[in-house]
Amino acid sequence: MSKKHPGGESLPSTPSTPSTPSTATDRSPDREVPAATPAPDPAPAPAPDPKRWWALAVIALAQLMVILDGTIVNIALPSAQRALGMSDADRQWVITAYTLAFGGLLLLGGRIADLVGRKRTFVIGLAGFAAASALGGAAAGPGMLFAARALQGAFAAVLAPSALSLLTTTFTDPKERARAFGVYGALAGGGSAVGLIVGGLLTEYLNWRWSLYVNVPIALAALLGAPAFLRDRSGRRGGHLDVPGALLGCGGLVALVYGFSEAEPRGWTSPSVLTLLAAGVILLAAFVWWQSRAASPLLPLRIVKDRVRAGSLATMGLATIGMFGVFLFLTYYLQVVLGYPPVRTGLAFVPISAGIFIGATQIAARLLPRTAPRTLMSSGMVLAAAGMVLLSSLTVHVQYVSHVLPALLLLGLGMGLTFMPVYATATAGVPAQDTGVASAVLNTVQQMGASLGTVLLNTIATGATSRYVHSHVHDPAHGGATLNEGMVHGFSVAYWCSAGVLLLAALVAGLTVRHKTPKHAGNDAPA
């Protein structure tokens, strides 16, 4: 028999020793009963690493860099688009290239960390992320920037699971681990808001390129500390990477995203668009088939066969599809239509981060122990959909406090109410050996939803803008539609579509997620 060490390695279990002598059935007149062997003293617990808090600082720097990069470029995007001559249809690739590579390779990155060693992959991920950031900051054209963002996502997919695993193995005391994960969670929750503000400051007072260059000194600081403070065991031997699975899954997603992006300039009935979409579906179907046959699958299908877990994952995917277009469209609305400078734009997004924090920590966390998860998820998605409806009524002349602020607060509260119980439910009842995979699957679904949602909603918005401008350009009563009016109309159409997707997420959560709150996360409890 063996038992799992917290670091993931198998250790031989100590055989149990009876605490009482043999029973009377073992005794005979001519045989003595041997005395019971005293149980050996348990081995003393290993001393905690004296450098563990410095290790936390290194891991936190890496986590902050990855979280910042998810939002810091949003504020800089209008300036980058003007500087590099990007089209409206192509601008979404600055965001999508990152999220697509990050989400598509996340499962593979976790497996590489297990096989090669977490510290080694952590250092590789940091160095690669810094180099890709420098490449993006020096981009001479859109293609170079898109490629750099994809490289950032690929190295982030190696870095993120390594950082989380190192945190888990560095802190073994329950109280210290709780404190360490509190710091890690605070960075994850607040890093997005910080990224929006820092992106505005760098863009306004330096230029948009520094929203990428800023990652280089952060990565260098973490690289200097990693050899001195991080401790890790060597990777496992005898494991295998599911390279065919990674190629099928990532290839299918890239085909779908590229097909959606080409739908606006070429038309939804274009043979090339239909071919791309069909290829994406076929590759993803082949991925599912391969995962059922692979010896070491990236995604063990038993993870998603549970109805409740599958429903939670579907809710997360639909929620991110509906939500992520908000950041792209509102950035352009605030900077291009209302004329906000980058710093003011970043500050304007702070209420949505505050709403997420309040919804997750002050409402959902308090209600989840006595409220059905599906009630919180569905309520959150309905609130977010209401926020989208408010955004759909924006015009070229509105006040931020009276029109934009209420929508952002509703969106933030809705996201917080939804995401917190989704994380709790999607990872509850998972066998111990699958907890890491289940968490990686949830993060992958979130990134893939962001990729698909951004490109699909951007295609819808740009198409609606183009049709509006063409239909009003010769309208004498209208006086000729301005580009800003057409842009706001396109955003409005996209917001209505987002509201529909969020309501669908509420319906999925209500129909699939169990009534009772999950209480045990270590057992494969039935739905």
Side-chain angles (χ1 to χ4, degrees), residues 6-7 49 51-63 118-119 122 159-188 229-233:
D49 185 352
K51 298 179 180 179
R52 60 194 181 280
W53 296 108
W54 286 106
L56 174 62
V58 172
I59 295 169
L61 273 177
Q63 169 71 358
R118 302 176 184 98
K119 180 178 176 179
F122 181 86
L159 177 61
S162 303
L164 188 57
S165 298
L166 284 168
L167 188 67
T168 302
T169 56
T170 300
F171 292 90
T172 55
D173 179 76
K175 291 183 180 179
E176 289 191 346
R177 180 177 288 187
R179 290 170 60 190
F181 271 92
V183 173
Y184 193 83
L187 289 173
F229 303 126
L230 297 183
R231 300 287 181 269
D232 187 37
R233 299 172 183 84

Side-chain angles (χ1 to χ4, degrees), residues 5-29:
H5 184 273
E9 296 179 355
S10 295
L11 296 177
S13 59
T14 304
S16 59
T17 304
S19 58
T20 58
S22 301
T23 60
T25 55
D26 296 324
R27 301 182 182 182
S28 60

Side-chain angles (χ1 to χ4, degrees), residues 505-525:
L507 181 63
V508 169
L511 294 177
T512 60
V513 180
R514 64 162 68 100
H515 293 273
K516 295 182 180 179
T517 301
K519 295 181 180 178
H520 304 290
N523 305 318
D524 202 1

